[in-house]
Amino acid sequence: MDGAADSGPPARRRAAPSVIRSRTGPPGPLTGADVDGLLTTCQARAVSTPDGGELAATLRRIERSAGALATASVARMDETLPWFRALPADQRSWVMLVAQAGARSLVQWLQDGGGTADSTQEVSDDVFDAAPQALARSITLQQTVALIKVTIDVVEEQVSQLAAEGEEQLLREAVLRFSREIAFAAARVYARAAESRGAWDARLQALLVDALLRGDSPDVLASRAAALGWADAPPVAVAVGRSPGGEVSAVLHVVYRQARRIGVEVIGGVHGDRLVIVLGGAADPLSATGKLLDAFGDGPVVVGPAVPSLDEATESARAALSGFRAAPAWPTAPRPVPAADLLPERALAGDAEARRRLRHDVYATLVRAGGELLETLDAFLAAGGTLESAARALFVHPNTVRYRLRRIAEVTGFSPLSPRDAFALQVALTVGRLDPVVPVATAVPTQTLTPAARKSSQSSDDPRRSL
């Protein structure tokens, strides 16, 4: 009996060292080259044994204080961050949820060993998934970093109350490592949100450019532009050129980067081999497009006319596309070139709008101006641009021809003395005579009329009067 009684305690005393060795053994193999191996082992042992480990009491205290920590953190944010006070109530409540999830995630992270590859992803899921994705669009990454800093400061201030006796330093170091992991997790969350937002914006921009090229209604343009945050700063113009090739996202990235440098608003899209850019807020769209030439490929770049708003940008897009198709007919055209400077090439290529403008703005203007402007222009062009030859054909002094040519430049905007403008005037005369506004009635040939009757017939010509 006594022997049996005496054998009990020694057995328990012999078992104790075995338990101690099991509890204090390292969680995994250690490398002898690690100078801080002993410290690492102690820290790993402290945070990786939730049942009976050295931080077990601390972890229980943190779990019980999660709500108080979140409340204190939000209160500190309200005191130190002015922009946080301006947030709506629902977004402030989301931040409270994230702060509470962060306290719980700290406990789980410490229990999992603190800093393993799997736990990093769990931090991201547990903390930031507590709030909707819309919060990432309401609060910037910089503001999120400020929120994390405030929360970590509050936790560090509470270390003495949260940590069990003798574990303050271990908890403080663990919090520092956790703050690093949570910052990286926040960066990953915002990177995914940015990628998703960028892909969505790219699709919206492509749809908006498609709507412009198709000539959709202003309501469609306005709704899609509003989804992109388009400010619609006047004036608005469309530029078309050849795409440099490669990934569409890379091409548009160059466009947006250069647009930010010059301070203009842009929407871009790649359609086949063409790069289409909508510019807003540029006082001189042609000059602004010249600063974006690096984003285009080789070949002509055509800028449509400036319009007051995006609702009317369809006209600018149509002119720019027509000019881009006709630009090869003018090999020496400047780069970029206004679509209006390509009116003769556009008219020859079949652009009905270009033909209308040449007929109404040039030919009809000359007819309305009266006098002998048309006759003088015909004689000057027929003489190959020689004043003296035109004067002899008209039986007038060369100075008279000079005066009439100046009048032509004043009323049409095209100077017959410029080879390029003379070409536009020649096309305008041809289009005006081929495309009368109303059918030409059968008339007596002017050769059979007297000079007075011929002059009266010209002044009463129905097509000219209707222009």
Side-chain angles (χ1 to χ4, degrees):
M1 179 74 66
D2 295 339
D6 294 340
S7 62
R12 287 193 296 270
R13 287 194 296 269
R14 285 193 300 269
S18 175
V19 174
I20 294 174
R21 284 195 301 270
S22 175
R23 182 166 60 90
T24 59
L30 299 176
T31 59
D34 189 358
V35 179
D36 298 328
L38 181 59
L39 179 59
T40 303
T41 302
C42 295
Q43 293 175 345
R45 180 175 66 247
V47 299
S48 61
T49 54
D51 49 348
E54 296 184 13
L55 280 181
T58 299
L59 296 180
R60 287 192 294 271
R61 290 186 180 185
I62 296 175
E63 287 179 313
R64 289 194 299 267
S65 305
L69 287 174
T71 302
S73 299
V74 173
R76 180 71 59 84
M77 296 171 192
D78 192 74
E79 294 175 1
T80 59
L81 303 175
W83 58 265
F84 181 77
R85 292 193 294 269
L87 289 178
D90 58 340
Q91 296 182 8
R92 291 164 61 92
S93 65
W94 292 340
V95 173
M96 171 70 81
L97 291 177
V98 172
Q100 292 176 347
R104 293 192 299 268
S105 182
L106 173 61
V107 174
Q108 185 63 45
W109 184 80
L110 292 174
Q111 291 176 347
D112 290 342
T116 63
D118 293 338
S119 64
T120 301
Q121 181 61 34
E122 290 173 1
V123 167
S124 176
D125 293 342
D126 293 344
V127 178
F128 297 102
D129 284 354
Q133 293 183 354
L135 189 62
R137 294 192 291 269
S138 302
I139 300 178
T140 65
L141 178 57
Q142 183 178 1
Q143 292 172 338
T144 301
V145 172
L147 296 178
I148 293 174
K149 182 179 182 301
V150 170
T151 304
I152 296 300
D153 289 342
V154 171
V155 174
E156 286 183 336
E157 292 175 1
Q158 301 293 326
V159 165
S160 58
Q161 286 79 24
L162 296 173
E165 184 177 357
E167 297 179 352
E168 292 85 353
Q169 185 61 27
L170 288 175
L171 179 58
R172 185 172 287 107
E173 293 175 358
V175 169
L176 290 177
R177 293 196 303 274
F178 179 77
S179 65
R180 179 192 64 186
E181 297 298 336
I182 203 70
F184 281 124
R188 286 192 296 272
V189 169
Y190 274 85
R192 289 194 297 269
E195 291 175 357
S196 176
R197 177 67 179 178
W200 176 246
D201 285 351
R203 289 192 292 270
L204 282 180
Q205 291 179 12
L207 290 174
L208 177 58
V209 173
D210 284 338
L212 276 176
L213 300 184
R214 289 195 307 266
D216 285 356
S217 66
D219 292 339
V220 174
L221 298 178
S223 63
R224 292 180 176 171
L228 287 169
W230 174 264
D232 205 13
V236 177
V238 178
V240 179
R242 195 170 303 280
S243 171
E247 291 290 335
V248 174
S249 58
V251 173
L252 297 181
H253 175 72
V254 175
V255 173
Y256 300 143
R257 183 182 60 191
Q258 295 183 355
R260 285 193 298 269
R261 291 178 179 175
I262 63 176
V264 298
E265 192 172 9
V266 297
I267 293 176
V270 176
H271 291 254
D273 62 343
R274 298 172 302 186
L275 173 60
V276 181
I277 298 177
V278 183
L279 299 97
D284 185 356
L286 186 66
S287 175
T289 304
K291 299 176 182 178
L292 300 176
L293 287 180
D294 291 342
F296 291 93
D298 296 334
V301 176
V302 183
V303 183
V307 294
S309 65
L310 188 65
D311 297 345
E312 306 173 49
T314 301
E315 175 188 347
S316 181
R318 187 181 297 113
L321 284 173
S322 174
F324 179 74
R325 288 191 293 265
W330 186 9
T332 59
R335 190 173 184 266
V337 57
D341 289 359
L342 289 162
L343 278 177
E345 287 81 6
R346 290 165 54 191
L348 294 176
D351 183 357
E353 175 62 19
R355 295 173 70 91
R356 186 196 67 81
R357 288 191 57 185
L358 289 175
R359 183 174 64 251
H360 285 270
D361 299 346
V362 179
Y363 180 75
T365 300
L366 289 174
V367 173
R368 288 192 298 268
E372 295 81 8
L373 296 187
L374 270 178
E375 183 183 13
T376 301
L377 181 58
D378 279 330
F380 181 74
L381 295 175
T386 305
L387 283 171
E388 290 76 9
S389 299
R392 285 194 297 270
L394 295 170
F395 300 101
V396 296
H397 194 275
N399 287 340
T400 303
V401 176
R402 289 190 181 92
Y403 169 76
R404 293 176 180 176
L405 295 181
R406 285 197 301 270
R407 285 280 301 143
I408 293 172
E410 291 174 0
V411 299
T412 65
F414 294 95
S415 173
L417 299 176
S418 167
R420 175 68 191 172
D421 288 357
F423 170 63
L425 290 169
Q426 180 71 73
V427 175
L429 293 181
T430 303
V431 170
R433 286 161 178 161
L434 288 176
D435 299 338
V437 177
V438 296
V440 180
T442 304
V444 179
T446 57
Q447 289 83 354
T448 63
L449 300 177
T450 63
R454 184 185 302 116
K455 183 175 181 180
S456 174
S457 174
Q458 291 178 352
S459 62
S460 62
D461 187 25
D462 290 340
R464 292 183 180 181
R465 188 171 64 250
S466 63
L467 290 171

